[in-house]
Amino acid sequence: MSEIAAKPFPFFFDRPAIALIVIDMQRDFVEVGGFGESLGNDVLRLRKIVPAVRRLIEAFRSHGLPVIHTVECHRPDLSDCPPAKRNRGDPRLRIGDPGPMGRILIAGEPGAAILPELAPGPGEIVIEKPGKGAFYGTDLGAHLDRLGARQLVFAGVTTEVCVQTTMREANDRGYECLLAEDATESYFPEFKAATLDMIRAQCAIVGWTATTEGVIEGLRDAE
Ligand code: C5J
């Protein structure tokens, strides 16, 4: 067993069973001029984590460990977007409407793409997900079974929405989950802080948190 210095206590892991899941680092959430900004959010907060996310991706790749990317998006005919989701957004800019970077959150549109600097490498799995959680309506679980991954390190956006939802889904499925504190972000700083607290509360009720540096050191020591 190897170890990552984490909160609320060290995260022990088996090197072959660990994988990185990068949640929704999409242009529409993170880039200036995208959907997220058009809703009045300060996307520069999210952009700041790009170097840390990149370091994690490169570390996992360099150790030959799996990197899985997720993308929140829907089919062009919106058949996988329940009205309850579509009708909840700002009425002037809903999923499927023309947005600043193509149709909002539609697969294949420029805004739905992953940031070029974090682009999936050859052979890396990309999960297109219709929900906030990456297990709902996807084959993520089957991919993880095939890879033998039981311990998941998370990065990406937004902390309290798609990241937290996916961690909770994973926790209920028996995965051990760790969130890289400086490689995740929210448009709302207080929501990020509360999510980190919620994850670690009650002796890691959802999982662990650690710094990117801590994760990278743990992987290095496991070599
Ligand atoms: C949101 C996400 N915030 N990726 N999506 O709607 O967290």
Side-chain angles (χ1 to χ4, degrees):
M1 276 290 199
S2 305
E3 182 178 333
I4 293 171
K7 292 180 189 163
F9 42 79
F11 181 82
F12 293 101
F13 68 99
D14 260 336
R15 200 183 165 283
I18 195 165
L20 175 66
I21 304 198
V22 181
I23 303 281
D24 301 358
M25 289 301 290
Q26 294 163 248
R27 297 184 61 203
D28 252 339
F29 292 130
V30 181
E31 278 191 1
V32 172
F35 172 51
E37 189 180 57
S38 69
L39 295 176
N41 295 306
D42 174 10
V43 293
L44 295 179
R45 292 186 52 75
L46 272 54
R47 270 214 76 80
K48 284 194 195 128
I49 68 165
V50 171
V53 177
R54 199 177 157 129
R55 285 189 71 211
L56 280 175
I57 291 174
E58 284 170 358
F60 273 73
R61 280 180 189 152
S62 73
H63 291 287
L65 294 168
V67 178
I68 297 173
H69 308 256
T70 73
V71 173
E72 183 178 355
C73 64
H74 295 274
R75 297 186 194 125
D77 66 2
L78 295 177
S79 56
D80 60 353
C81 182
K85 181 175 183 186
R86 183 158 196 266
N87 296 339
R88 207 96 54 75
D90 181 331
R92 290 160 304 164
L93 269 186
R94 292 211 156 126
I95 294 169
D97 289 348
M101 293 184 183
R103 288 182 69 200
I104 294 165
L105 295 190
I106 298 297
E109 296 286 337
I114 292 172
L115 299 180
E117 51 271 60
L118 302 177
E124 286 176 358
I125 295 162
V126 180
I127 302 287
E128 293 190 346
K129 62 185 184 63
K132 303 304 183 196
F135 287 85
Y136 169 71
T138 75
D139 49 8
L140 176 58
H143 283 295
L144 294 172
D145 284 349
R146 187 177 49 75
L147 293 166
R150 301 301 310 163
Q151 295 180 298
L152 307 177
V153 172
F154 286 89
V157 297
T158 58
T159 315
E160 77 282 9
V161 186
C162 292
V163 176
Q164 175 170 220
T165 303
T166 303
M167 285 186 75
R168 287 176 181 273
E169 285 184 328
N171 189 45
D172 283 348
R173 286 165 173 77
Y175 297 93
E176 289 183 308
C177 301
L178 180 146
L179 177 56
E181 296 155 14
D182 50 338
T184 185
E185 199 43 87
S186 168
Y187 298 126
F188 308 97
E190 67 277 22
F191 289 176
K192 173 177 175 178
T195 302
L196 296 181
D197 284 345
M198 278 185 242
I199 285 167
R200 307 181 285 234
Q202 301 179 72
C203 297
I205 195 159
V206 177
W208 288 254
T209 73
T211 60
T212 292
E213 190 53 40
V215 173
I216 291 172
E217 268 175 31
L219 295 179
R220 201 183 299 133
D221 292 347
E223 272 291 299

